[in-house]
Amino acid sequence: MTILDKRASLAGPGSSGTVTPFGAQVMSWAPDGEAPVLWMSPRAVLDGSVPVRGGIPVCLPWFGTGPGGAMRPSHGFARTTRWRMLDAEDAPESPGLASRSFRLDHAPVGEDVSAGLFPHRFHALLRVSVTDELVLSLTVVNDDDHAVRIEEALHTYFAVGDVKDVTIDGLEGSDYLDAVRDDGRRRTQVGELALVGPTDRIYRSAAALVLHDPRRRRAITIDKDSSASTIVWNPWAEGAAELSDLGPHDWQDFVCVEVGNVRDDAVSLSPGEEHTLILILHVDPMA
């Protein structure tokens, strides 16, 4: 049995998709009559032993290796934890539902190994809805008696005709950190973003984006709310060679454009306070 055997179907007026309680991860989504918008690696491991390469992983409560650079697993434990489905729990395969909701509770106690990683109580709610758009709403609530600082990201893998032809509008003038250069310098985006090699950038930007894919002749609008960070990632050939769940040419078929709040833009929550991050995807034909 794989985690795909536990997937839940989404069907709305204009699009459909699937989501698994493992990591509350959206596995697929496409408007009616369109090619898949989300990319899934042909080599993705689907038995729940490691994160799934593709779809929309939820990075929480830290991003990458965390503020100090030593947190494990990478991108937090939320994406490798089974979330509880709050609706249709008795019939996860029921067709026709346009939304699904999932909950993750984190309350480390005693010898819980996660206490050393993130010794703070919180819960998270993820709601996934489909119409002619895909909408994800991630709410994190501080259940502890002290302030908690979290990083979060919705790590979307977009299926593209060829990443070398893709351009991204909306980041113009935004400052970013370039993890490929890894020199700690902030740079400023000039004009549209075109990927020409390994890319791993964290932009300080709350703006909506448009991903232009000329091979598939479509433009994907990436809108967001309560997100101060945008992350763009593709490992290129050299980086893909180091990842066992990517084939030698798979890097050409996707680009990750992530919305969230990471590094200096991490969210600080007082006791009882909550924060909601929203992602909205819409697809239009290119002129």
Side-chain angles (χ1 to χ4, degrees):
M1 178 179 291
T2 73
I3 62 168
L4 285 181
D5 295 314
K6 297 296 184 181
R7 69 188 184 279
S9 297
L10 292 167
S15 72
S16 60
T18 58
V19 57
T20 172
F22 180 73
Q25 185 160 337
V26 178
M27 303 291 282
S28 64
W29 176 70
D32 296 346
E34 286 281 338
V37 175
L38 303 180
W39 182 83
M40 181 63 61
S41 172
R43 297 190 181 188
V45 180
L46 303 174
D47 62 5
S49 61
V50 295
V52 176
R53 178 77 64 186
I56 309 181
V58 177
C59 302
L60 184 76
W62 60 82
F63 181 81
T65 53
M71 304 292 276
R72 296 291 187 274
S74 180
H75 292 320
F77 50 78
R79 66 177 182 154
T80 55
T81 301
R82 184 178 179 84
W83 295 46
R84 179 164 56 93
M85 188 156 60
L86 300 181
D87 39 22
E89 290 183 294
D90 57 340
E93 299 291 341
S94 296
L97 294 182
S99 65
R100 301 278 183 162
S101 297
F102 301 84
R103 177 171 174 138
L104 171 68
D105 289 277
H106 179 68
V109 294
E111 298 301 315
D112 186 348
V113 66
S114 62
L117 298 175
F118 200 77
H120 315 289
R121 296 169 56 92
F122 75 91
H123 73 269
L125 298 167
L126 182 76
R127 184 173 180 83
V128 184
S129 303
V130 295
T131 54
D132 59 338
E133 301 177 322
L134 174 65
V135 181
L136 274 68
S137 174
L138 176 64
T139 298
V140 181
V141 182
N142 179 5
D143 294 322
D144 225 317
D145 60 1
H146 55 269
V148 173
R149 187 171 174 83
I150 63 146
E151 293 181 291
E152 58 183 356
L154 298 172
H155 192 308
T156 309
Y157 286 77
F158 290 98
V160 298
D162 190 324
V163 70
K164 298 185 297 297
D165 296 329
V166 163
T167 56
I168 300 171
D169 287 330
L171 294 170
E172 299 86 348
S174 299
D175 291 344
Y176 66 90
L177 291 173
D178 190 337
V180 173
R181 299 189 186 187
D182 194 26
D183 57 8
R185 285 184 52 200
R186 285 201 170 273
R187 295 172 169 82
T188 301
Q189 179 67 37
V190 178
E192 65 184 15
L193 174 62
L195 282 71
V196 296
T199 303
D200 190 356
R201 298 181 179 181
I202 299 176
Y203 287 86
R204 301 195 78 173
S205 172
L209 311 174
V210 180
L211 189 160
H212 299 278
D213 184 357
R215 293 277 183 122
R216 297 197 174 188
R217 300 208 56 78
R218 67 186 181 189
I220 303 172
T221 299
I222 306 164
D223 205 352
K224 60 178 184 171
D225 188 57
S226 298
S227 163
S229 308
T230 294
I231 302 97
V232 182
W233 178 76
N234 182 283
W236 230 249
E238 49 266 51
E242 299 177 0
L243 300 172
S244 61
D245 53 1
L246 283 182
H249 304 293
D250 290 341
W251 61 273
Q252 299 176 82
D253 300 333
F254 75 89
V255 60
C256 285
V257 183
E258 312 164 41
V259 307
N261 295 286
V262 305
R263 301 298 185 259
D264 291 345
D265 294 314
V267 176
S268 292
L269 298 175
S270 300
E273 188 178 6
E274 67 179 48
H275 176 272
T276 299
L277 166 68
I278 296 175
L279 166 66
I280 305 172
L281 302 182
H282 184 81
V283 181
D284 290 299
M286 288 181 65

